[in-house]
Amino acid sequence: MEQIAFRLAVAGRMRCTTLKPNIGLVLQHLSQFEQVDRPGMIAKQSLDRGAGVIVVVPDSPAAAAGIRPGDVLLAIDGHALPPETALSAAFDAARAHARADAIRDLLADAGTQSFTISLLRDDMVSAVKVTPVSACPSDGHLARSNQQNAYADGRHVFLTTGLLSRLQNDDELAFIIAHEMAHNILHHATIMRVADVKHGLGHTLGRSGRIVRETEREADALGGDLMIDAGFDPVRGAAILKRLDRADLGIDLFAAHDSAGKRIAAMRVLENSRIPR
Ligand SMILES: [Zn+2]
């Protein structure tokens, strides 16, 4: 997921008015685990010392700096990671997201110039220098849920494990991520709030339905452009819409969208308009 989000965010940066530094890392931390699993993560990954690296996006600044999966981040640009205090016994999604955001903020605050990350690897502390790239904002989270859904809250892109399991290729995953990233880039969450738009089945007609349909078309259009910029195929990606079971869809994918056929046709028009002549 992060690999595709990174590709979309970097390739589409000319389309975003607000850019964020990105180094291409996926991290894990103790607050993401149930209490019973924490001692194991401390013994295996030293997650009591800092944030553990789980994915390094190939060809990213983190990869160029030599950061590897299994490394533990201790400090970013001279700032020690905020301590994980008073963890509750059970997994707490809000807390886990807040933790992830705090570390992402530290990385973003380090700016676009080179900065130092201090790392723990095999009980040895070392420092590496990373030079971030500017990219569209793309904070992705996987949500554990059997619901098939994806949504954007203004900053994050959420994708449920239930939806992830239905995807057949990278173009389909890129379609979902790019569409949700586009909602955030276009500030749709704020627009809906200000316009007091009502969601749900009873509101697919009338003013709320019109605004939702309009923002959905905008998100498809910008998402399709981001996909083409990054070398994905939006028509192949939009094919996921035909396979999804409407009855099982939640907030965003259940919004007042055009039909799957109409949305795929719009992607085909977009793709044809971008073919170099
Ligand atoms: Zn949408």
Side-chain angles (χ1 to χ4, degrees):
M1 178 179 182
E2 192 54 36
Q3 200 160 323
I4 288 175
F6 181 83
R7 233 172 103 182
L8 290 165
V10 172
R13 64 184 177 274
M14 302 302 286
R15 301 183 185 278
C16 293
T17 47
T18 312
L19 294 174
K20 278 181 86 174
N22 194 322
I23 66 169
L25 274 188
V26 181
L27 302 171
Q28 62 180 355
H29 27 85
L30 273 189
S31 51
Q32 287 171 318
F33 295 90
E34 306 278 359
Q35 192 173 34
V36 44
D37 297 321
R38 286 177 202 149
M41 294 315 293
I42 291 172
K44 265 198 313 209
Q45 304 267 332
S46 306
L47 288 193
D48 54 332
R49 303 281 304 273
V53 175
I54 35 179
V55 177
V56 179
V57 174
D59 302 319
S60 67
I67 299 177
R68 294 189 221 145
D71 289 349
V72 173
L73 267 56
L74 303 175
I76 294 165
D77 197 21
H79 302 280
L81 262 54
E84 289 213 87
T85 47
L87 286 180
S88 56
F91 168 73
D92 174 350
R95 180 175 203 103
H97 291 156
R99 173 75 181 168
D101 284 348
I103 297 171
R104 282 169 160 158
D105 286 343
L106 261 186
L107 284 167
D109 290 347
T112 50
Q113 305 297 313
S114 298
F115 61 88
T116 303
I117 291 181
S118 89
L119 287 178
L120 183 70
R121 181 185 295 165
D122 302 330
D123 289 330
M124 304 263 291
V125 177
S126 61
V128 295
K129 193 156 235 179
V130 288
T131 309
V133 287
S134 289
C136 296
S138 68
D139 291 350
H141 285 289
L142 207 54
R144 284 182 249 180
S145 165
N146 291 330
Q147 254 203 7
Q148 294 166 28
N149 199 11
Y151 45 99
D153 68 356
R155 168 169 183 173
H156 310 94
V157 166
F158 293 94
L159 178 69
T160 63
T161 45
L163 177 57
L164 192 66
S165 70
R166 297 291 305 275
L167 304 177
Q168 290 183 347
N169 55 58
D170 281 357
D171 289 313
E172 293 186 352
L173 180 52
F175 177 83
I176 303 284
I177 296 174
H179 175 94
E180 300 305 331
M181 271 174 65
H183 275 311
N184 288 340
I185 292 165
L186 296 168
H187 306 291
H188 283 163
T190 311
I191 290 171
M192 303 282 186
R193 209 162 36 239
V194 170
D196 193 24
V197 167
K198 308 275 191 293
H199 287 277
L201 264 186
H203 302 283
T204 54
L205 300 171
R207 179 178 159 278
S208 287
R210 229 172 19 249
I211 296 176
V212 173
R213 254 190 304 279
E214 193 50 42
T215 56
E216 291 305 328
R217 282 184 198 128
E218 284 175 17
D220 271 357
L222 176 56
D225 275 331
L226 293 173
M227 287 185 75
I228 296 170
D229 289 343
F232 292 104
D233 179 344
V235 176
R236 188 162 180 255
I240 177 66
L241 298 171
K242 279 191 298 199
R243 284 206 317 281
L244 291 177
D245 177 6
R246 276 194 77 84
D248 204 22
L249 294 179
I251 312 160
D252 182 41
L253 291 176
F254 201 41
H257 286 117
D258 291 330
S259 70
K262 203 167 164 189
R263 293 177 71 189
I264 295 168
M267 288 298 115
R268 190 163 288 121
V269 169
L270 188 74
E271 197 167 76
N272 290 336
S273 73
R274 293 278 302 268
I275 293 173
R277 285 160 213 280

